[in-house]
Amino acid sequence: KGTQSRKLICSCGQVQAEVKSVTHGQFLLDIPCSLCQTRNMICIGKQYRTVEKIYCREEQLELGFVGNARDVEDTIAQYKHGLETIFASDAEIKNPQVLIGILNRLHDIAENGKLRCECGSMNIEGQLVDDGIELYCINCGTNIKFTSQVDELRYLKSVNCLELISKQYFHRKQ
């Protein structure tokens, strides 16, 4: 209550955000973005009846969720389970935070029905491979790999849809 702020601290000890009451039922959420190195100030209130994602204004990187505490906890548990499954493999991840950003962006594209294969299938799955993620079409096997590089994340943030296209191999006649 009042103007006192509270820090939201990760289990690793890093400050993830700071929240401050500004008026009755309204709070100012200050979240740092590790990608663009800026702080995102977001005003939140009781208007969040469902879980909504919070994004960095500069980089469109997913920063977290707002909403009913129980619903947010359930959403985080689902994400955590998904990430534990992905990171349970033996692949070496050099930039895990960037890879999580890539996974989040791919999820957003798929969630909006904008991830498909050139064969027309929308049945696309992903697999963690060699410091990245490979998407592949269940129908025809067409695939694409995204490595955990900032450039890959920036590319995905610049597109609203993604289509897997098979590689064409050309052989010269002699």
Side-chain angles (χ1 to χ4, degrees):
K1 293 192 174 203
T3 58
Q4 187 177 10
S5 64
R6 288 186 90 175
K7 291 182 180 180
L8 305 176
I9 300 172
C10 176
S11 60
C12 71
Q14 183 177 358
V15 175
Q16 296 295 308
E18 193 168 336
V19 65
K20 182 178 184 179
S21 176
V22 287
T23 64
H24 181 69
Q26 296 239 320
F27 302 89
L28 191 59
L29 189 59
D30 179 3
I31 306 175
C33 175
S34 60
L35 189 59
C36 71
Q37 301 300 310
T38 62
R39 303 187 74 79
N40 291 269
M41 303 295 271
I42 300 161
C43 187
I44 58 174
K46 295 180 181 179
Q47 74 271 22
Y48 294 104
R49 303 260 184 250
T50 61
V51 175
E52 292 186 31
K53 294 178 185 178
I54 299 173
Y55 293 92
C56 169
R57 283 189 278 272
E58 284 289 318
E59 297 291 336
Q60 294 304 307
L61 179 69
E62 187 177 302
L63 298 173
F65 305 96
V66 293
N68 172 288
R70 180 179 288 143
D71 293 340
V72 169
E73 288 172 2
D74 290 346
T75 301
I76 290 171
Q78 289 172 356
Y79 270 63
K80 187 175 180 180
H81 175 71
L83 290 174
E84 286 171 351
T85 302
I86 289 168
F87 290 114
S89 75
D90 293 331
E92 182 181 330
I93 310 297
K94 294 183 182 105
N95 297 316
Q97 194 161 13
V98 173
L99 183 59
I100 289 170
I102 288 171
L103 291 169
N104 285 334
R105 183 64 187 135
L106 289 169
H107 180 264
D108 290 347
I109 292 170
E111 196 173 59
N112 290 322
K114 302 290 185 177
L115 177 61
R116 65 173 186 262
C117 181
E118 68 179 345
C119 74
S121 175
M122 294 180 77
N123 195 2
I124 311 294
E125 290 198 5
Q127 178 178 346
L128 193 65
V129 292
D130 302 326
D131 193 31
I133 185 165
E134 182 178 32
L135 299 180
Y136 56 93
C137 175
I138 298 297
N139 187 49
C140 72
T142 297
N143 61 15
I144 186 171
K145 181 181 175 187
F146 293 96
T147 58
S148 61
Q149 302 297 318
V150 173
D151 289 344
E152 299 274 270
L153 179 56
R154 284 197 175 119
Y155 165 73
L156 286 170
K157 289 187 306 185
S158 74
V159 299
N160 291 320
C161 61
L162 190 63
E163 183 175 73
L164 278 61
I165 300 173
S166 64
K167 295 176 185 166
Q168 300 291 323
Y169 295 96
F170 297 96
H171 298 283
R172 292 186 183 190
K173 292 184 179 180
Q174 293 186 0

